[in-house]
Amino acid sequence: MNDGDDHRTLDLVKELVHRLTTPPPTHLTPTHPTPTPHYPQSLHYAIRILSSRMTPSISPNEAAMVESIKRNLATQGKSSDALTFADLYTKFSSKIGPGSVKNKWAVLYLLKTVSEDRINQKNMPSNAPANAFLSSLSRGGLPELGLRNDSNLEGYKDNCKDLRGSVGNLGKMEKGYSDNSNDFRGLVGTLGKMEKGYTDNSKDLRGLMGKLGKREKGCSDGNVSDDFRSSSNLKDYRGKGYSDGNVSDDLRNLSCGGDVSRVLKGKGEVGKGWSGGVLMVSKDSENLRYMAYKEFVDLWKEENEVSEDVLVRDVLYSCQGIDGKYVKYDKNEDGYVLPDWMKVPRATRNVVRKLCELGWLFRKVKGYISESMNQFPAQDVGTVGQAFCAALQDELSEYYKLLAVLEGQAMNPIPLGSEGECSGNYMSFRRLSVWFAEPIVKMRLMAVLVDNCKSLKGGAMAGAIHMHAQHGDPLVNDFMKRLLRRVCSPLFEMVRRWVLEGELEDIFSEFFIVSQPVKDESLWREGYRLHAAMLPAFISQSLAKQILRTGKSINFLRVCCDDRGWADAATEAAAAVGTTTTRGSLGYGETDALESLVTEAAKRIDKHLLELMHKRYKFKEHCLAIKRYLLLGQGDFVQYLMDIVGPELSEPANTISSFKLATLLESAITSSNAQYDDCDIRARLRVKMMPHKTGDRGWDVFSLEYDAGVPLNTVFTESVMTRYIRVFNFLWKLRRVEHALTGTWKTMKPNCITSHFFSKLPQAVKLQLILTSRKCQVLWDEMNHFVSNLQYYIMFEVLEVSWSNLVKEMELSKDLDDLLAAHENYLSSILEKSLLGERSQELNKTLFVLFDLILRFRSLADRLYEGINELQSRTAEVKSRGKSNDKSSEPGSWLGEGRKALTQRAGEFFKNMGNDIDVIGKDYTTIFEGFISKLPVQQHIDLKFLMFRLNFTEFYSQLQPITRGKLF
């Protein structure tokens, strides 16, 4: 605020004091009367009041103040003045914006107080106290300044500039800067200067200022800056001996009351020289405060039909879910309320409803407990739900104890009187609010938990309660942890029994591990699984999987392996982590201990299980046996088996005896190195005839199977063995094709050696024979190249590499799941690389078409060389008989037709055979080119190596230069 504003504000204050102190003009007085002699004191008094930091003892309510003023005027018989005031107030309140009064209530309060002070002064008895300050206090109005005229006027004139500073501070306080330390220092400085003009009362004023400085520190919430504490004025006051202990006898009992106003409590009479200017409320010898409080109680009784102690007892009843005499539960309102016909203030109704919230929450919690316990035998409440109800009941027991104490205090009447007389054990609404602060927080939490857990059970309920425990309030956090220890006790007991004993007693389906009845071979894969909905949030997914595997391992050892060594491993694991195997060793908040126990138990039990699988049940040896027999890795056995079962398998499938094939299988085993294998392994190998259709041969339905047995059938399940049979059928057909090509080569070789017998045949027949044999030999070479490289790729690039990876992964396996995963990777790798995977179906079909063409070629080659053999024998016979005609010869035979006819028939035979070979060769080339064109687009990199082996010399690239970019 600048100097211009200071002057304007001071002028406004002067004008206000002038109007208040000047009597109204009459017909005997001039129109502009002169100010009274007390004008300087009144002006100084007004500035002191406006510049102080005092606050009224009533709440600022502008509308209530206006109504009070109008009511007082009407009571005094001044109805016209009341109407005039109402009209002026309407104009006064309508002015807003710059230049208007912001704190209108303060102006109204000042005017009302001044008016009441005048009325009290007129009615003052003749024996009024001499001290002006105490006289005003005894009347209940504003304190008077009570200064000498001359000294006051002189002090006022000398310090007018400082007073303007104080008025400037008043303007700042109106804008909301009343706590500004600089303004407060200016005000204290002004008061210090004004003190010099009040010579008669300087000692009392300095004592008052020193005391005010002390009280300001204790009652202003620390808003006074350090600059004020060290200000020069304050040092001056303290330097003169007015410290905390050197207070005058008249002000020795000055203290800070419940509000910001100062209260004078001294019993003795204040000194005659007192010249105070601070608004105070006194307690005189007549005990006005007690009388005022009693008057307030009488007024409260007039407005209330029921006393407060009766309502307090009703509130306590409602907090136990019981209807009181007046406070009852209303279903429509869904809460405890007072009846509408009862005459009580709205504030009392609100207080009662607010306090009865605790009873409403108690009713909800108690109803849930009763409903759950009543439904327990018939419905699946569950052990976790029972523990939750028991924990809530324990909390309600503590709540009952508190209510018993409060009911005992509520039996005492609420006393009247001062603070010293009201220190007994009684119960009022205000005290009840303090007592209910902590219970209502807990009851709200329990009510929220009840609402969230109504449809939940087991681990889901524990998880929902755990989510509410993540709270920053220590009270809430401790309460939730105490509750969760009770709730999670059954859940942690289930975990302990499952991890250390493999027992799953979950009658109400509360655990996050679910079991189902399955065969022994499916126990590990399908017997147990995680139930995600029952997994609480304080147990991680990885820890839950480890818990699941540990219990599965124990059950697998007990059921499938008939082993009890897991018990010692579990005991050692519990001892290693410093816990016991007894009930109650784990609980909520001990997640680290639980994780340590599960990790240690899993490590020891899994190690014991793997040792059992490798040593007692020889898992690796059985995998090797499957590789040797089902994957045709035992070469001599496969070759001998194919030789002895070949004639039998060439017959129709429906005429083949499986018993005869079993005998041939046993013969092949005893005739090869397979006879040196373990008897248990050889006994597991059996013949299996696949379902066949009409027209199928024995080659199409023959297969071998391996019976792994328990517990190895956990790894070699029915689905796994079906995939092994798919690989066997593919490899068996590949070996059959190779065997067919080998047989064709054996047929072709002696005919080439004995071809000199045809030297005397006509040149045309001889040329056709050589040309047909040449075509057959070239096509055989091409087919043999493809089959040999494909077989090499399958046996070495696929089977041997996959087996090597399996051995490495088996050595690194830490549990049965790792072992299963290693075997699954091994089998999947074989299927993918052998063109049997889902992504190689089209390529697999093309490959089997090539196999069928090769078998067709084998039949054609057999017909060709059978014809050559017959032609050779017929030629020798014709030569021996000469040109004579044999009448007994059968018509149509080569021998009966003579040499010329024999030569003609031979030419036609070789020509037809050559055409058939050309057709097969053309089909083979076309399909083979399509096959190798699809190899580069396969995702598995090893299939690209197959293409590289097949086209190593770039023969097919040079043969088809046009499609080279497309194929290669």
Side-chain angles (χ1 to χ4, degrees):
M1 182 179 288
N2 51 31
D3 294 339
D5 293 338
D6 293 346
H7 286 291
R8 284 195 295 272
T9 305
L10 184 60
D11 292 340
L12 290 174
V13 175
K14 288 180 180 180
E15 180 66 21
L16 177 62
V17 174
H18 176 73
R19 291 193 179 189
L20 294 175
T21 58
T22 303
T26 63
H27 65 282
L28 299 177
T29 59
T31 306
H32 300 285
T34 60
T36 62
H38 300 287
Y39 173 76
Q41 293 98 320
S42 300
L43 178 61
H44 176 246
Y45 167 73
I47 294 174
R48 288 288 299 276
I49 293 297
L50 294 176
S51 301
S52 67
R53 298 176 61 86
M54 296 181 298
T55 58
S57 59
I58 61 176
S59 60
N61 190 335
E62 183 178 344
M65 184 60 63
V66 172
E67 293 297 326
S68 176
I69 294 175
K70 290 191 293 184
R71 185 167 58 252
N72 290 341
L73 291 175
T75 304
Q76 296 172 8
K78 301 177 181 179
S79 301
S80 60
D81 293 343
L83 294 175
T84 304
F85 170 77
D87 182 58
L88 291 175
Y89 171 73
T90 303
K91 296 178 181 179
F92 176 65
S93 61
S94 63
K95 292 182 179 181
I96 59 175
S100 63
V101 178
K102 296 182 180 179
N103 197 356
K104 297 180 176 60
W105 173 86
V107 175
L108 295 173
Y109 179 71
L110 174 64
L111 294 176
K112 180 187 177 186
T113 306
V114 171
S115 176
E116 291 177 351
D117 189 60
R118 283 184 172 179
I119 296 174
N120 294 334
Q121 190 173 5
K122 291 179 182 180
N123 299 330
M124 183 182 298
S126 59
N127 57 350
N131 189 294
F133 181 72
L134 290 182
S135 65
S136 63
L137 288 181
S138 64
R139 295 192 307 270
L142 290 171
E144 296 181 356
L145 190 60
L147 298 173
R148 294 187 181 91
N149 295 341
D150 297 338
S151 61
N152 293 343
L153 183 62
E154 186 65 25
Y156 165 73
K157 292 179 180 180
D158 292 341
N159 301 295
C160 186
K161 182 183 294 185
D162 299 309
L163 289 176
R164 282 200 301 270
S166 300
V167 175
N169 293 334
L170 174 65
K172 291 184 179 180
M173 291 165 61
E174 178 186 350
K175 294 183 179 181
Y177 303 107
S178 60
D179 291 334
N180 189 284
S181 59
N182 295 327
D183 297 336
F184 195 73
R185 288 199 302 272
L187 176 60
V188 174
T190 302
L191 292 175
K193 292 180 181 180
M194 293 171 61
E195 180 194 4
K196 296 178 181 179
Y198 309 143
T199 56
D200 294 337
N201 301 311
S202 59
K203 182 176 181 181
D204 295 329
L205 184 60
R206 284 196 302 270
L208 175 62
M209 291 301 298
K211 192 64 178 179
L212 282 175
K214 180 179 179 182
R215 299 308 299 173
E216 196 69 83
K217 293 176 64 179
C219 302
S220 62
D221 297 333
N223 292 328
V224 183
S225 64
D226 294 336
D227 297 337
F228 172 68
R229 295 189 184 96
S230 59
S231 63
S232 59
N233 293 324
L234 190 58
K235 290 180 180 179
D236 293 339
Y237 290 133
R238 291 180 178 176
K240 292 179 182 181
Y242 300 105
S243 59
D244 294 345
N246 298 327
V247 185
S248 63
D249 296 336
D250 297 330
L251 300 177
R252 192 176 304 276
N253 295 315
L254 187 64
S255 63
C256 183
D259 52 7
V260 187
S261 62
R262 274 66 174 170
V263 182
L264 184 63
K265 292 186 178 180
K267 294 182 180 180
E269 185 178 355
V270 181
K272 295 180 180 181
W274 168 254
S275 58
V278 181
L279 179 62
M280 296 186 179
V281 179
S282 66
K283 176 185 175 184
D284 57 4
S285 57
E286 297 179 359
N287 204 357
L288 294 179
R289 180 179 178 184
Y290 175 79
M291 295 176 64
Y293 184 76
K294 186 175 182 180
E295 183 179 356
F296 166 75
V297 172
D298 294 339
L299 181 62
W300 190 87
K301 289 182 178 179
E302 291 178 2
E303 296 178 355
N304 294 268
E305 294 183 359
V306 184
S307 61
E308 182 177 358
D309 52 355
V310 174
L311 292 179
V312 166
R313 284 193 291 270
D314 273 16
V315 168
L316 291 176
Y317 289 147
S318 67
C319 292
Q320 303 173 57
I322 304 172
D323 288 344
K325 184 177 181 181
Y326 301 104
V327 180
K328 300 180 181 297
Y329 181 78
D330 189 348
K331 293 183 179 180
N332 297 328
E333 296 289 338
D334 191 21
Y336 289 93
V337 295
L338 289 170
D340 296 335
W341 53 265
M342 180 177 292
K343 182 181 178 182
V344 289
R346 180 181 298 177
T348 303
R349 290 183 180 274
N350 293 336
V351 170
V352 169
R353 187 174 182 86
K354 183 178 181 181
L355 293 175
C356 288
E357 179 190 359
L358 186 60
W360 181 82
L361 296 172
F362 169 82
R363 183 187 179 96
K364 180 184 288 290
V365 176
K366 185 65 177 178
Y368 171 80
I369 296 174
S370 301
E371 181 181 358
S372 299
M373 291 296 99
N374 292 336
Q375 293 178 352
F376 170 65
Q379 298 186 9
D380 295 344
V381 177
T383 56
V384 176
Q386 296 176 52
F388 179 49
C389 292
L392 294 179
Q393 191 63 49
D394 289 347
E395 295 298 331
L396 291 185
S397 298
E398 297 296 325
Y399 173 70
Y400 291 146
K401 295 178 182 178
L402 173 63
L403 291 183
V405 174
L406 298 182
E407 285 184 354
Q409 296 184 8
M411 299 302 294
N412 300 326
I414 301 177
L416 304 177
S418 62
E419 182 179 356
E421 298 172 347
C422 298
S423 59
N425 290 330
Y426 67 94
M427 191 55 57
S428 63
F429 284 148
R430 183 168 296 182
R431 289 194 172 193
L432 207 57
S433 300
V434 176
W435 277 104
F436 281 0
E438 182 176 337
I440 201 169
V441 172
K442 295 181 179 180
M443 201 65 71
R444 283 173 182 166
L445 284 173
M446 290 190 286
V448 169
L449 295 178
V450 164
D451 287 336
N452 292 343
C453 298
K454 279 185 177 180
S455 58
L456 301 177
K457 65 177 182 179
M461 177 183 289
I465 299 175
H466 168 75
M467 297 305 296
H468 289 84
Q470 312 304 311
H471 203 285
D473 189 349
L475 173 64
V476 176
N477 193 269
D478 294 341
F479 172 77
M480 294 303 299
K481 285 184 177 180
R482 184 171 65 252
L483 193 68
L484 277 167
R485 289 190 188 97
R486 294 288 305 276
V487 173
C488 296
S489 178
L491 190 64
F492 275 86
E493 177 60 20
M494 292 181 190
V495 173
R496 185 197 66 81
R497 294 200 63 184
W498 174 255
V499 170
L500 299 180
E501 302 175 13
E503 297 290 342
L504 185 58
E505 294 183 1
D506 189 15
I507 303 175
F508 303 103
S509 301
E510 301 175 283
F511 200 34
F512 55 86
I513 296 175
V514 180
S515 64
Q516 54 187 359
V518 293
K519 298 180 180 179
D520 291 349
E521 64 179 20
S522 303
L523 178 65
W524 183 269
R525 298 177 184 269
E526 304 174 4
Y528 304 97
R529 60 179 179 85
L530 283 178
H531 189 190
M534 290 297 172
L535 181 62
F538 51 84
I539 296 180
S540 63
Q541 191 74 18
S542 59
L543 180 59
K545 291 181 179 179
Q546 199 170 23
I547 293 173
L548 171 65
R549 191 183 69 247
T550 305
K552 279 201 308 183
S553 299
I554 295 177
N555 282 277
F556 182 80
L557 289 168
R558 181 167 49 205
V559 176
C560 298
C561 303
D562 193 20
D563 179 78
R564 298 289 300 177
W566 56 267
D568 296 335
T571 305
E572 293 173 0
V577 298
T579 185
T580 61
T581 58
T582 58
R583 185 184 184 92
S585 57
L586 295 174
Y588 178 80
E590 301 176 355
T591 308
D592 294 339
L594 173 64
E595 188 170 356
S596 300
L597 176 62
V598 172
T599 302
E600 191 66 26
K603 182 176 67 174
R604 294 175 183 271
I605 294 173
D606 289 336
K607 181 180 178 181
H608 176 72
L609 174 58
L610 290 181
E611 289 179 355
L612 203 68
M613 291 290 290
H614 285 296
K615 294 181 179 179
R616 181 192 295 183
Y617 295 102
K618 302 179 181 179
F619 173 74
K620 184 177 180 180
E621 286 77 2
H622 287 285
C623 289
L624 182 59
I626 291 176
K627 172 180 176 291
R628 294 171 60 188
Y629 297 123
L630 295 190
L631 303 184
L632 307 183
Q634 187 74 25
D636 57 342
F637 163 77
V638 176
Q639 187 65 39
Y640 191 81
L641 178 65
M642 192 162 288
D643 290 339
I644 62 176
V645 301
E648 188 71 22
L649 297 181
S650 299
E651 301 296 328
N654 56 357
T655 62
I656 299 176
S657 172
S658 58
F659 296 102
K660 187 175 182 179
L661 292 177
T663 304
L664 295 176
L665 174 63
E666 186 66 26
S667 177
I669 291 175
T670 56
S671 301
S672 63
N673 288 332
Q675 62 181 320
Y676 303 110
D677 287 342
D678 190 358
C679 296
D680 179 62
I681 292 177
R682 286 187 286 129
R684 297 173 185 267
L685 188 62
R686 300 170 185 173
V687 174
K688 181 178 181 181
M689 300 299 292
M690 305 293 292
H692 57 82
K693 299 177 293 185
T694 304
D696 287 345
R697 296 283 177 175
W699 294 102
D700 300 324
V701 297
F702 175 79
S703 65
L704 297 178
E705 66 176 355
Y706 192 86
D707 184 15
V710 179
L712 294 177
N713 55 5
T714 300
V715 181
F716 305 112
T717 61
E718 185 176 351
S719 61
V720 169
M721 297 311 298
T722 301
R723 294 160 69 188
Y724 269 120
I725 290 176
R726 283 187 59 199
V727 180
F728 171 81
N729 291 334
F730 169 71
L731 297 177
W732 182 252
K733 193 158 190 177
L734 179 60
R735 282 300 184 95
R736 179 190 173 192
V737 170
E738 181 197 16
H739 188 268
L741 289 176
T742 303
T744 303
W745 177 79
K746 291 179 179 179
T747 304
M748 292 168 57
K749 185 175 181 181
N751 284 277
C752 294
I753 296 175
T754 59
S755 61
H756 63 278
F757 289 106
F758 301 97
S759 59
K760 295 182 179 182
L761 289 175
Q763 187 66 26
V765 177
K766 182 178 180 181
L767 184 61
Q768 287 181 354
L769 173 61
I770 295 174
L771 182 61
T772 303
S773 300
R774 178 64 179 172
K775 288 181 179 180
C776 185
Q777 183 69 37
V778 170
L779 186 56
W780 181 88
D781 287 338
E782 188 173 350
M783 291 180 175
N784 186 66
H785 168 76
F786 168 66
V787 172
S788 299
N789 283 281
L790 179 61
Q791 187 177 12
Y792 176 86
Y793 163 76
I794 294 296
M795 299 305 297
F796 295 97
E797 298 292 341
V798 177
L799 298 181
E800 292 299 331
V801 173
S802 299
W803 173 256
S804 177
N805 294 334
L806 174 62
V807 172
K808 292 179 182 178
E809 292 182 6
M810 281 194 297
E811 294 175 354
L812 298 176
S813 298
K814 297 181 179 179
D815 52 64
L816 188 57
D817 280 333
D818 292 345
L819 200 63
L820 292 173
H823 181 264
E824 181 66 23
N825 294 336
Y826 166 70
L827 186 54
S828 299
S829 175
I830 292 176
L831 289 171
E832 288 294 331
K833 293 180 181 180
S834 301
L835 306 178
L836 299 175
E838 295 294 333
R839 296 175 294 183
S840 306
Q841 291 298 317
E842 186 176 356
L843 199 61
N844 181 262
K845 293 178 181 179
T846 304
L847 185 60
F848 274 84
V849 172
L850 289 174
F851 289 163
D852 292 338
L853 283 174
I854 294 174
L855 294 177
R856 281 177 55 193
F857 170 73
R858 164 68 189 273
S859 299
L860 185 63
D862 289 343
R863 284 172 50 200
L864 173 62
Y865 288 103
E866 285 177 1
I868 292 175
N869 292 333
E870 184 179 358
L871 180 60
Q872 184 179 359
S873 61
R874 297 303 182 189
T875 302
E877 186 176 351
V878 169
K879 184 178 180 181
S880 63
R881 292 189 179 186
K883 296 180 179 180
S884 61
N885 294 328
D886 189 356
K887 301 295 181 179
S888 62
S889 300
E890 296 181 1
S893 64
W894 291 6
L895 186 58
E897 294 178 357
R899 184 177 182 85
K900 183 177 180 180
L902 182 63
T903 302
Q904 185 180 357
R905 183 65 64 86
E908 293 178 359
F909 173 75
F910 287 129
K911 182 179 179 180
N912 293 335
M913 293 301 297
N915 292 336
D916 292 342
I917 292 174
D918 289 340
V919 171
I920 293 178
K922 185 178 180 180
D923 291 344
Y924 176 82
T925 303
T926 302
I927 296 174
F928 180 75
E929 288 178 356
F931 174 78
I932 61 175
S933 67
K934 296 175 183 177
L935 286 177
V937 300
Q938 297 300 311
Q939 296 184 1
H940 209 290
I941 191 172
D942 288 346
L943 292 176
K944 297 180 181 180
F945 295 148
L946 174 61
M947 184 195 68
F948 176 75
R949 292 187 60 86
L950 293 175
N951 195 37
F952 180 75
T953 60
E954 299 184 355
F955 169 77
Y956 298 102
S957 301
Q958 296 174 3
L959 186 64
Q960 298 289 342
I962 298 177
T963 59
R964 181 182 306 172
K966 178 180 177 182
L967 301 180
F968 306 101

